[in-house]
Amino acid sequence: MTEFAFTCTGVRADPYAAGPTLVFRLRITASPDTRVHALALRCQLRIEPAGRGYGPGEAAALHDLFGERSRWGSTLQPLQFAQVAVMVPSFTGETETEVAVPCTYDMDIAAARYFDALEEGEAPLLMLFSGTAFTGSGGFHVEPVPWDREAPYRMPVAVWREMIEQHFPGCGWLRLPHDTMAELLAYRSRHALASWESTVRALLDAAVIAEPPPPDPHRTGAPVLQRVTGRAAP
């Protein structure tokens, strides 16, 4: 069996991708002098949240994912990030390839919420590999890539933020059900609003106007009862 080893050497944001995409640089090492005709590789990326510390602001932003900090000993479980397939061309001994990982800024996705909560530093990732290798000097042999092959990598948070800023500069992303979107679209059309931002702003302004006034801080104690001048009913 051919021995394979994997090392992640870097990551960058792809500025030309249609959507948010991270590109990981992967070094693959096979047994010495082994000819690999092709490698059909499957790569699972997993977040290992217990692999770093978190500041007060980050802890507050991660509350929905992991709960109170006092419970983190049991709740900081790995999060699924992505699963991609890569076809590696022929090589002998060692080669490098790129692994493109499409990402999302959907805050309903745990991985996106995790990355968004990080203020600085690095995000601890674990890349797990499997797949099929076609090897041999004369003909070729079909071999599985062992399931225990993995590579840890600490991704700079700045790379994630750079990727998101390329596609959503200064903005966030919100997913809504179809019926809610239809109602918002109808409201926007009725009021001839130019953008979704102006639509949401109009709704927020209307909600502020509809809110009851705050209580008068100068009025304290029990409410004053009006004086009854007539006889009460028996």
Side-chain angles (χ1 to χ4, degrees):
M1 294 288 291
T2 304
E3 289 292 329
F4 289 97
F6 301 90
T7 305
C8 185
T9 60
V11 64
R12 61 181 175 85
D14 187 349
Y16 305 109
T21 303
L22 293 173
V23 181
F24 292 84
R25 190 71 181 173
L26 187 65
R27 180 182 299 135
I28 306 172
T29 305
S31 301
D33 301 324
T34 297
R35 176 69 182 276
V36 179
H37 298 285
L39 183 60
L41 194 64
R42 293 185 296 273
C43 177
Q44 177 186 353
L45 288 92
R46 201 169 68 188
I47 302 170
E48 301 284 324
R52 60 159 285 167
Y54 302 92
E58 294 172 329
L62 292 170
H63 181 272
D64 287 347
L65 289 178
F66 304 122
E68 299 289 342
R69 191 187 286 267
S70 59
R71 300 176 52 220
W72 282 10
S74 59
T75 61
L76 284 186
Q77 300 299 318
L79 300 174
Q80 176 75 7
F81 175 23
Q83 188 163 334
V84 294
V86 182
M87 182 59 72
V88 183
S90 174
F91 69 94
T92 300
E94 184 176 282
T95 189
E96 288 196 2
T97 191
E98 291 186 335
V99 180
V101 179
C103 303
T104 178
Y105 196 31
D106 185 348
M107 289 296 104
D108 286 338
I109 305 300
R113 293 175 69 182
Y114 175 83
F115 290 130
D116 185 71
L118 302 184
E119 299 173 354
E120 58 184 7
E122 299 169 332
L125 303 180
L126 184 64
M127 307 176 75
L128 302 106
F129 301 97
S130 61
T132 304
F134 302 90
T135 63
S137 54
F140 67 87
H141 305 284
V142 179
E143 305 180 35
V145 176
W147 283 81
D148 61 349
R149 304 295 93 167
E150 59 185 39
Y153 182 67
R154 302 186 69 84
M155 182 182 74
V157 174
V159 176
W160 172 269
R161 297 198 176 278
E162 175 189 353
M163 176 194 68
I164 295 301
E165 190 64 22
Q166 288 173 355
H167 294 273
F168 306 103
C171 299
W173 192 93
L174 184 64
R175 182 175 64 178
L176 297 172
H178 289 297
D179 55 347
T180 305
M181 283 297 300
E183 292 181 30
L184 281 174
L185 184 58
Y187 180 89
R188 176 178 173 177
S189 179
R190 288 196 306 271
H191 294 81
L193 298 169
S195 66
W196 286 116
E197 179 183 359
S198 58
T199 302
V200 175
R201 177 53 57 189
L203 289 169
L204 290 175
D205 291 343
V208 171
I209 295 174
E211 288 180 355
D216 187 351
H218 300 291
R219 296 185 62 183
T220 59
V224 177
L225 299 178
Q226 293 184 352
R227 184 176 180 181
V228 179
T229 56
R231 293 182 60 183

